[in-house]
Amino acid sequence: MKIHRSWHGVRLRRTSASADPDEPVRSVTIPASWEDAAGAGLAALAPGAGATTLPAAAEAWIRFVADKAAKAGMEPSFADRLHWLLQLRRGAPTESVWQLRPDPNPGFVLNLPAFIDSAGLFDCAAFAEAVETAVLTLSFAAPASARLSVSMADLSGLLCALGIDYGSDNARDIARALAAILRGRADIASGRMARLTDAMRPAPMDWPAPPAHTPVPGLAEAARAARQQALAVEGLRHIATTAIMAAGPADALLGVETGGIAPAFSPLLPSGGLSKATRAWLGVSGMTGEEALASVLGGGSPFPIYGSAEHALMHDAVAPFIEAMPARPAALGKPLPVAARSELPARRAGYTQKASIGGHKLYVRTGEYEGGALGEIFIALHKEGAAFRGLMDNFASAVSLGLQHGVPLEAFVEAFTFTRFGPAGTVEGDPAVRQATSLLDYTVRHLAANYLGRRDIPEAEIEEADTVGDGARDGSPLLPLELPAEASPRARRRALRVISKAG
């Protein structure tokens, strides 16, 4: 198949992807700069199950649509428009168009952040043209369909790139203006198809006027122009043309991070890195990554995070303009405030406790605030497996973060006493604790005794045969420990010593 000239010179890469974990993996070829998720999107969109390339898969449906458009008297550049929409990741149709199969409600996704130009401004004219192109594409691809779903996506990403707070009135005005352009230009294109097919439906103006002003240059004017021109439409080809759709393979192909008009509920990608929207927000805020990290470590929140309440308000702002909307999110109110983190001093007091539980040695290290309150713990294991050591390291980190954010030590003691897993058994080396049902049980019992004065926690029956990982008991005797009379290591930090065994 001859590939459209617009793909010449585009650097591509091949990867393996599947539309679903239960689906077979196929070889896909996408632009080198696109993320792997785009490959999974192409694997779901392209017909068949074998190897596919984005230029070839796109050429198949675009040529089909462009041929029909040419017969209807459309401009010869229609195919160019579609290829450029895809290459710029501004828009793409849903599965049925890629696979050239009938669909009573075909869809087309428009990726809002992709319409920001090189000057950092939203390209209103390009968005308006893309809406009309989407309606015409779906009309030619599925001529029998009376309902279309042209949808805008990643409103949250657009607002971040523009430096607009998602929960603000300005953000909702921007969304209203975008929805007005979407509805108005879609009705204009549907009216054009009605004239070509002599299939006229009433064109009621049942949606409100857009806002008079927005912070985005030219957006309010473009919205008013779209509504004014839609008023002149004599009749429509379709019952409905606009929707806010759930995210799907087309969104993944375009690099959409947040579906529809939803807020971004996290600044991170599933892989753990910062999202494009978060990086854009930092850019327009003038904040470096180092400054953002410092803010997080200091208990601040440099990244705006929103919940269902803000989402519900955005839904209400957009719904009057759009013909098919998802269910309104339940407004659960604002989340509880997060306590600020209390930093430990750079040089801090504490102690190291060595003990053995059921023949398995461990060290518990504590760090204290200036007043003696516990602020952090570390747990070092003698010879357990790497996986188990990693779990205990992360447990200690989680407890430390909780303590530094105001979680009382009593809460951890209540949660983790009597946890049962190997190793378990008699405790040697720590007179404050005689038995432990697990390393977690020992750790919180030890902390309770030494920082809360708690020696009233009952002991449980122990099965000392429990072992774990590489640290299975080898039958070797423990080193005897000479213990001072005081039970608390805080009173004998330097008094504990190991006595060598004669032999």
Side-chain angles (χ1 to χ4, degrees):
M1 176 183 294
K2 184 179 179 181
I3 302 301
H4 191 268
R5 62 182 180 274
S6 63
W7 292 97
H8 295 168
V10 176
R11 187 183 175 196
L12 304 174
R13 69 179 177 96
R14 183 180 301 168
T15 186
S16 297
S18 65
D20 184 271
D22 296 327
E23 296 290 331
V25 174
R26 63 190 300 190
S27 174
V28 296
T29 301
I30 57 176
S33 62
W34 294 17
E35 59 280 347
D36 288 344
L42 178 60
L45 292 168
T52 185
T53 71
L54 179 57
E59 179 65 23
W61 68 264
I62 290 176
R63 179 50 50 200
F64 176 82
V65 170
D67 287 346
K68 288 195 169 187
K71 292 178 182 178
M74 293 288 174
E75 58 273 17
S77 62
F78 195 75
D80 296 343
R81 288 161 59 182
L82 288 171
H83 278 290
W84 279 115
L85 270 180
L86 187 56
Q87 280 189 36
L88 296 175
R89 307 187 84 176
R90 288 180 167 179
T94 53
E95 296 96 315
S96 62
V97 177
W98 287 79
Q99 298 163 15
L100 299 177
R101 55 180 172 81
D103 186 348
N105 188 10
F108 202 106
V109 179
L110 297 173
N111 181 18
L112 292 174
F115 288 93
I116 295 179
D117 61 22
S118 58
L121 302 175
F122 185 77
D123 193 335
C124 301
F127 179 63
E129 182 184 85
V131 173
E132 294 189 37
T133 301
V135 171
L136 296 176
T137 296
L138 299 182
S139 299
F140 290 123
S145 299
R147 292 184 180 273
L148 310 179
S149 292
V150 180
S151 176
M152 58 184 184
D154 209 352
L155 173 65
S156 178
L158 173 66
L159 294 173
C160 281
L162 296 174
I164 303 295
D165 186 332
Y166 179 94
S168 66
D169 290 336
N170 280 337
R172 289 186 285 274
D173 281 342
I174 290 171
R176 291 185 185 99
L178 290 169
I181 295 174
L182 182 66
R183 179 65 180 275
R185 293 295 174 181
D187 282 357
I188 293 167
S190 182
R192 185 176 179 183
M193 290 303 303
R195 293 193 300 273
L196 289 174
T197 59
D198 292 326
M200 289 281 186
R201 301 176 188 273
M205 183 55 67
D206 56 355
W207 45 284
H213 305 283
T214 76
V216 179
L219 183 61
E221 293 80 2
R224 288 197 299 272
R227 191 174 194 276
Q228 191 64 32
Q229 293 176 39
L231 282 170
V233 173
E234 297 178 359
L236 303 177
R237 167 67 182 82
H238 306 93
I239 298 173
T241 55
T242 57
I244 297 298
M245 296 189 296
D251 298 74
L253 183 68
L254 297 174
V256 170
E257 290 185 335
T258 306
I261 59 172
F265 295 106
S266 171
L268 302 178
L269 297 170
S271 61
L274 293 178
S275 67
K276 290 183 291 187
T278 300
R279 294 196 299 271
W281 178 266
L282 290 177
V284 297
S285 302
M287 184 180 295
T288 66
E290 182 179 351
E291 290 170 336
L293 177 59
S295 175
V296 171
L297 294 177
S301 180
F303 312 119
I305 303 297
Y306 306 97
S308 57
E310 293 84 3
H311 190 187
L313 291 174
M314 188 63 76
H315 182 283
D316 294 344
V318 170
F321 300 88
I322 305 298
E323 292 152 302
M325 292 285 293
R328 185 181 188 273
L332 301 178
K334 293 185 178 181
L336 294 175
V338 178
R341 185 176 182 179
S342 179
E343 294 290 340
L344 284 157
R347 185 170 184 175
R348 64 206 67 164
Y351 63 83
T352 300
Q353 170 69 56
K354 178 183 177 182
S356 174
I357 296 93
H360 294 253
K361 299 182 183 68
L362 85 161
Y363 297 83
V364 176
R365 171 67 187 169
T366 67
E368 301 172 358
Y369 290 101
E370 291 182 355
L374 181 64
E376 68 179 358
I377 64 170
F378 300 94
I379 300 173
L381 302 178
H382 180 58
K383 58 176 181 176
E384 310 302 334
F388 192 67
R389 289 199 305 271
L391 288 173
M392 292 301 292
D393 284 344
N394 283 280
F395 166 76
S397 297
V399 171
S400 299
L401 285 172
L403 292 170
Q404 292 164 29
H405 281 87
V407 178
L409 177 58
E410 290 90 339
F412 293 110
V413 174
E414 181 70 22
F416 294 109
T417 48
F418 301 111
T419 50
R420 287 180 176 271
F421 55 86
T426 301
V427 176
E428 298 185 53
D430 186 351
V433 184
R434 295 193 304 168
Q435 301 277 342
T437 57
S438 67
L439 297 187
L440 297 189
D441 178 60
Y442 165 73
T443 300
V444 296
R445 284 174 181 270
H446 169 82
L447 296 175
N450 289 284
Y451 284 93
L452 301 176
R454 293 277 307 274
R455 293 178 177 81
D456 58 339
I457 303 175
E459 295 178 352
E461 294 183 4
I462 305 297
E463 297 179 6
E464 297 204 23
D466 288 345
T467 58
V468 63
D470 299 333
R473 297 176 66 181
D474 56 10
S476 60
L478 296 174
L479 294 177
L481 300 177
E482 181 184 71
L483 301 176
E486 296 91 352
S488 172
R490 303 176 74 189
R492 54 178 174 83
R493 286 171 184 162
R494 289 180 294 274
L496 185 64
R497 59 191 179 92
V498 179
I499 307 299
S500 63
K501 182 180 180 183

